[in-house]
Amino acid sequence: MSNKKVAILISGGGSNMVSLLESMTGDHPARPCLVLSNNADAGGLAKAAAAGVATAVVDHRPFKGDREAFEAELVKPIFEAGADIVCLAGFMRVLTAGFVSQFEGRMLNIHPSLLPKYKGLHTHARALEAGDAEHGCTVHEVTPRLDDGPVLGQARVPVLPGDTPDTLAARVLVQEHKLYPAVLRRFAAGDKTPVQLA
Ligand code: GAR
């Protein structure tokens, strides 16, 4: 069976993207075909290029809030690359139902909280504010509702005395780099059984 092709969408540094790229070797059932960003300054673009992966940029700003027009362009390189699976990895644009439906059942996202807790932004600060004893990250299938959709894996980290949003985020990120590759490997092999780390 031929390998699945994976497009990864990023907006920033792309550390999760790098962990996915590094995982897709050997007997892994997928290979990267594209790293795509809405931000030409995303640090991850150079990292992807250095890894020999095709990159593309579709800047959202000229579309001035017209999400559908932006997405009509965003989808083109994904289709051109022949992606079977789309991984959102720190992609910080909200996607419309129309865009999402084109990738139903084959688009994943990583979110820095134990969903369904703390959808949206500032997840680490919100977990601290709530006095949670544990926090973590989730990989889920993308559906039209923000940070929703079937959970494909979670990793937990303890909240420690003296944690700040930054220290907590750093500890969660370490787990993100383990969780997302583990989920993608399983998902690309056709297995949607949730991965549980820690
Ligand atoms: C990660 O922590 C990811 O979970 C989060 O952005 C960060 C991107 O880091 N994603 C979201 O908040 C999506 N709503 P990275 O660019 O180094 O992978």
Side-chain angles (χ1 to χ4, degrees):
M1 211 176 63
S2 64
N3 283 317
K4 292 277 197 307
K5 292 186 186 175
V6 178
I8 306 173
L9 273 57
I10 64 169
S11 297
S15 68
N16 276 291
M17 176 271 297
V18 169
S19 72
L20 291 176
L21 292 188
E22 288 176 347
S23 73
M24 283 185 266
T25 60
D27 67 353
H28 196 291
R31 290 291 182 272
C33 64
L34 175 71
V35 171
L36 174 60
S37 180
N38 64 303
N39 170 17
D41 296 328
L45 288 168
K47 296 174 195 165
V53 178
T55 63
V57 175
V58 178
D59 188 343
H60 64 279
R61 288 170 301 183
F63 297 95
K64 299 189 194 307
D66 183 344
R67 287 190 198 279
E68 284 171 4
F70 165 60
E71 291 172 353
E73 292 305 310
L74 189 70
V75 83
K76 287 180 186 170
I78 302 175
F79 281 142
E80 279 162 18
D84 302 300
I85 297 172
V86 176
C87 288
L88 307 180
F91 185 71
M92 303 307 276
R93 306 301 302 169
V94 172
L95 297 167
T96 67
F99 182 88
V100 169
S101 67
Q102 296 175 85
F103 301 102
E104 201 180 336
R106 56 196 187 100
M107 181 152 62
L108 314 184
N109 180 45
I110 187 154
H111 184 73
S113 77
L114 294 172
L115 289 173
K117 279 189 159 183
Y118 314 129
K119 298 176 181 184
L121 299 174
H122 311 302
T123 57
H124 310 296
R126 287 157 68 199
L128 287 174
E129 234 162 71
D132 290 354
E134 64 173 12
H135 184 46
C137 50
T138 303
V139 176
H140 63 96
E141 244 179 81
V142 177
T143 58
R145 294 198 340 203
L146 181 72
D147 299 329
D148 207 79
V151 169
L152 296 168
Q154 289 191 313
R156 294 164 191 281
V157 302
V159 175
L160 301 179
D163 257 339
T164 65
D166 284 349
T167 61
L168 187 53
R171 201 164 334 103
V172 170
L173 194 61
V174 171
Q175 291 301 99
E176 292 186 43
H177 296 162
K178 295 180 187 160
L179 179 68
Y180 212 171
V183 170
L184 177 62
R185 176 182 273 271
R186 197 176 267 197
F187 187 83
D191 183 355
K192 296 187 179 186
T193 314
V195 174
Q196 291 294 341
L197 295 185

